Amino acid sequence: MSILITGGAGYIGSHTVRHLQSLGKEIIVLDNLQTGHRKSVDVEKFYQFDIRDTEKLDQVFKENDIEGVIHFAANSLVGESMTDPYKYYSNNVYGMLCLLKRMYENKVEKIVFSSSAATYGEPKNIPILETDPTKPTNPYGETKLAMEKMMHWFDIAYGMKYVSLRYFNAAGAHPDGDIGEDHGPETHLIPLILQVPLGKREYISIYGDDYPTKDGTCLRDYIHVLDLADAHNLALEYLLDNNDSEIFNLGSGNGFSVKEVIEAARIVTAHEIKAKVTDRRPGDPAVLIASSEKIKSRLGWNPKRENIKTMIEDAWRWHKNNKNGFDDKN
Ligand code: UDP
């Protein structure tokens, strides 16, 4: 039996593929390579097409013995979703509809879904609980919430079971330095900070220092990509053993300010890393910190790389050795 990983050539997808392979699981990757990298995964079965191509999708389910799906394939840039919501509704929501339909027809009834803290919008309570209200403030978050609801109704109607993982800020890279984050364009804080010591950027912009936080900059809950990968494995095992649908937050429970992350990067890289305060980025909540107690108690998830310095060290190893990301790989 194998596990189908859609979007398996992306940042979190490729680390999950690597982690499950290390546990001896048989993996099939499906990715249209719109944002993913073929070189980020080493698998025997790699399909390159779009999940909205339902005939090809059907073929994959027919020619393999698939027991469950981990679904990453989606667009994930908040800013882009504000200017191109069509892309997000089509790829994310319609893509999910195509996937669930073909899963149902082929009697594959278990799915682990890559959801997001963006489903909550501006939080009322910190730390955020899974039971808190979901009011997304951008199309990206809206589409992730719509995908969760689709799974919910497919469960009620057809008995398809899901675990949805609402991640906070994914960070870090595989400690062996072989795979890591490679987005074009890059919008995330840690890789952008590391572009300064790499000589690719003069300074890092701090998007606002007038937030109601300890140093005026936004607080985020960073979680190591390998701890995320481990959570996907536990979620899949839970589904296979319990046949029960659930939603879990995934964060470390610690909030770090933008200034604290820059300071940690200065220590890790031994580089001064110039920073300049600029305007706020529209749509950024001041504080996003998860309560991850539910996944800890229900699935026994136990993050091992919670230290922000460890995340930056791992990211630094990857970026230093692969200045142009996967383009540097043979
Ligand atoms: N941020 C920043 N400068 C940058 C990129 C990001 O100050 O060049 C801030 C951003 O406003 C947010 C935090 O860093 O408060 C994390 O942003 P990121 O885009 O990495 O993740 P998000 O929280 O948006 O998912």
Side-chain angles (χ1 to χ4, degrees), residues 11 171-173 180-181 186-205 261-274 308-323:
Y11 170 44
E181 201 165 0
E186 188 51 75
T187 63
H188 294 110
L189 180 64
I190 294 175
L192 285 176
I193 293 173
L194 296 178
Q195 285 181 3
V196 181
L198 285 177
K200 294 172 118 186
R201 164 180 300 273
E202 211 186 311
Y203 60 89
I204 181 72
S205 299
V261 176
I262 296 171
E263 201 43 51
R266 286 180 177 134
I267 295 167
V268 168
T269 62
H271 189 284
E272 77 171 299
I273 309 186
K274 283 193 187 133
I308 191 76
K309 275 201 201 130
T310 308
M311 296 184 214
I312 297 173
E313 271 162 15
D314 289 343
W316 179 230
R317 194 174 303 113
W318 155 253
H319 288 292
K320 210 170 35 176
N321 295 334
N322 304 275
K323 286 193 177 144

Side-chain angles (χ1 to χ4, degrees), residues 50-79:
D50 194 294
I51 47 167
R52 290 165 292 186
D53 188 337
T54 53
E55 274 175 33
K56 285 191 185 154
L57 197 51
D58 193 45
Q59 195 66 33
V60 172
F61 283 112
K62 295 240 164 5
E63 65 191 34
N64 296 288
D65 192 7
I66 295 171
E67 62 179 334
V69 175
I70 303 182
H71 181 39
F72 292 102
N75 290 114
S76 62
L77 298 178
V78 169

Side-chain angles (χ1 to χ4, degrees), residues 78 168-170 187-193 201 204-208 211 217-220 222 258 262 278 280-281 284-286 288:
V78 169
F168 285 63
N169 291 60
T187 63
H188 294 110
L189 180 64
I190 294 175
L192 285 176
I193 293 173
R201 164 180 300 273
I204 181 72
S205 299
I206 297 174
Y207 295 154
Y211 285 94
T217 65
C218 291
L219 293 184
R220 291 290 179 275
Y222 295 87
V258 174
I262 296 171
T278 62
R280 288 182 175 196
R281 184 172 66 177
D284 268 340
L288 284 177

Side-chain angles (χ1 to χ4, degrees), residues 5-10 12-15 17 29-31 37 40-41 46 72-73:
I5 305 194
T6 74
I12 304 170
S14 58
H15 287 80
V17 169
V29 172
L30 163 54
D31 199 301
H37 303 277
S40 68
V41 283
F46 184 95
F72 292 102

